[in-house]
Amino acid sequence: MDIGVVLQNDPPARQVVEYAKQAEALGFSHVWTFDSHVLWQEPFVIYSAILAATQRVVVGPMVTNPGTRDWTVIAAQFATLNEMYGNRTICGIGRGDSALRVIGKPPNSLAQLRESIGVIRDLANGRAVSLRGRELRLDWAAASRLEVWVAAYGPKALALTGEAGDGYILQLADPDIAEWMIKAVRRAAADSGRDPAAIKFCVAAPAYVGDDLAHQREQTRWFGGMVGNHVADIVARYGGDGAVPKALTDYIKAREGYDYSEHGRAGNTHTTFVPDEVVDRFCVLGPVAGHVKRLTELRDLGVDQFAVYLQHDAKEETLSAYGSDVIPAFS
């Protein structure tokens, strides 16, 4: 199983590049970043610097969306990076949350997401597409290669992932929920005539190595709030009765609004509704042995990559512990 890391594009951008260099040196396979251009710095600019400073890691957004950039621009950005640095990019994509809502737009529809996946992937792989009545091709991108991995929670989005995605991103580390989601994606792939085994599975969640569990929970409680935004959309669309596991939907009953100015940040004051039990299930906390145990459970479910959200006050320590004690267990 690969181990990746997810970084926020907080200034100074050079520090993000330094974390990426450290991650590569410690054996991490992927460097992902948030993509929410008002809340944080523009990721594609930083990707170029990361790729220039590294030799091996694969780089991309967790996640971009079809609404903040024209799809042809997204494809051209990836294809350009691939030409410069040798096919070391990956596109995580979803309907959009903070990036769109902060600028007053709703998330994209699943139909828009589905179409964008095909357009971005084909263009970034040098193939022709039909878009808005025109035939388009990036003639200069014949050697570019890009996979598109889809972030999803709801039933229709999971079906779309199985039908159209190269990979699936689940942003929480609960093995029971992961098993349910992976089965749903695989079932959709099989029903559409695709090989379920060809789809890669990535679980992404905060990981914090140490002994002070109470402190770790407070540093990672924000994640339950971030996931809760997506869960609230699911409940609004489907209700709370079985569309997805109740272990995912029940905890948001006490949710009262959300302030995106604190999105994805330790100490977020709008996530007090997230109970300790959810923090413990969604995140990977505690000593190294517990991390290895949880990741082994996920690997055995078919997870190909665990991506560490590194948004807390022990970034260096957690990177180092994963490099010395966790990554070798899965090499």
Side-chain angles (χ1 to χ4, degrees):
M1 182 169 67
D2 288 336
I3 308 293
V5 64
V6 187
L7 305 172
Q8 281 180 343
N9 292 317
D10 281 320
R14 288 186 178 87
Q15 181 61 67
V16 181
V17 178
E18 285 302 313
Y19 283 137
K21 290 168 61 178
Q22 290 177 37
E24 178 173 84
L26 289 166
F28 287 80
S29 61
H30 291 66
V31 174
W32 307 83
T33 79
F34 285 34
D35 178 11
S36 193
H37 60 286
V38 173
L39 297 179
W40 301 289
Q41 292 179 310
E42 166 57 33
F44 282 91
V45 177
I46 298 174
Y47 296 157
S48 190
I50 291 173
L51 288 162
T54 57
Q55 287 76 48
R56 179 183 51 81
V57 288
V58 176
V59 177
M62 187 177 286
V63 296
T64 194
N65 70 85
T68 53
R69 300 177 183 84
D70 187 88
W71 307 343
T72 61
V73 172
I74 297 174
Q77 288 171 318
F78 281 114
T80 301
L81 292 171
N82 284 340
E83 188 279 323
M84 293 176 71
Y85 301 109
N87 289 331
R88 289 168 51 211
T89 66
I90 189 167
C91 179
I93 196 167
R95 291 176 58 228
D97 178 36
S98 63
L100 289 171
R101 286 179 162 133
V102 164
I103 61 174
K105 291 185 176 183
N108 293 104
S109 69
L110 288 176
Q112 290 170 317
L113 177 60
R114 181 188 295 273
E115 185 181 5
S116 75
I117 291 168
V119 169
I120 293 166
R121 179 170 53 210
D122 282 347
L123 284 176
N125 283 282
R127 297 189 290 267
V129 302
S130 177
L131 181 65
R132 296 187 286 269
R134 294 180 179 270
E135 292 294 317
L136 305 173
R137 183 196 298 269
L138 303 181
D139 290 331
W140 47 269
S144 173
R145 295 295 178 266
L146 178 74
E147 290 188 353
V148 181
W149 293 17
V150 185
Y153 295 100
K156 292 182 179 179
L158 292 169
L160 180 158
T161 303
E163 293 160 5
D166 297 306
Y168 169 52
I169 297 170
L170 173 62
Q171 291 165 307
L172 56 83
D174 181 303
D176 292 335
I177 295 175
E179 182 177 21
W180 192 97
M181 299 290 187
I182 289 169
K183 285 181 178 178
V185 171
R186 285 178 171 158
R187 184 166 55 248
D191 290 347
S192 66
R194 300 183 73 200
D195 178 6
I199 299 174
K200 301 290 183 62
F201 293 94
C202 173
V203 163
Y208 192 131
V209 177
D211 297 317
D212 188 346
L213 188 57
H215 178 74
Q216 292 178 40
R217 285 170 176 157
E218 293 313 308
Q219 285 287 304
T220 57
R221 198 175 304 276
W222 63 268
F223 184 67
M226 186 182 83
V227 173
N229 295 327
H230 302 287
V231 176
D233 286 345
I234 294 169
V235 172
R237 179 182 291 265
Y238 300 102
D241 300 320
V244 296
K246 291 182 73 63
L248 179 58
T249 59
D250 279 356
Y251 84 97
I252 69 162
K253 291 177 181 177
R255 180 178 182 268
E256 296 179 357
Y258 189 81
D259 183 352
Y260 280 93
S261 68
E262 297 182 307
H263 187 62
R265 298 191 184 278
N268 187 326
T269 59
H270 293 81
T271 59
T272 55
F273 70 91
V274 181
D276 288 350
E277 182 262 340
V278 166
V279 179
D280 292 348
R281 286 195 292 110
F282 285 13
C283 304
V284 185
L285 311 177
V288 164
H291 291 247
V292 173
K293 181 176 184 294
R294 177 78 68 87
L295 270 55
T296 299
E297 291 181 68
L298 293 169
R299 181 199 61 191
D300 292 347
L301 292 173
V303 173
D304 298 285
Q305 180 184 158
F306 176 68
V308 176
Y309 271 100
L310 200 68
Q311 286 80 46
H312 51 60
D313 63 359
K315 296 180 179 67
E316 302 269 358
E317 294 85 351
T318 295
L319 275 178
S320 178
Y322 262 70
S324 62
D325 299 318
V326 178
I327 291 174
F330 297 94
S331 298

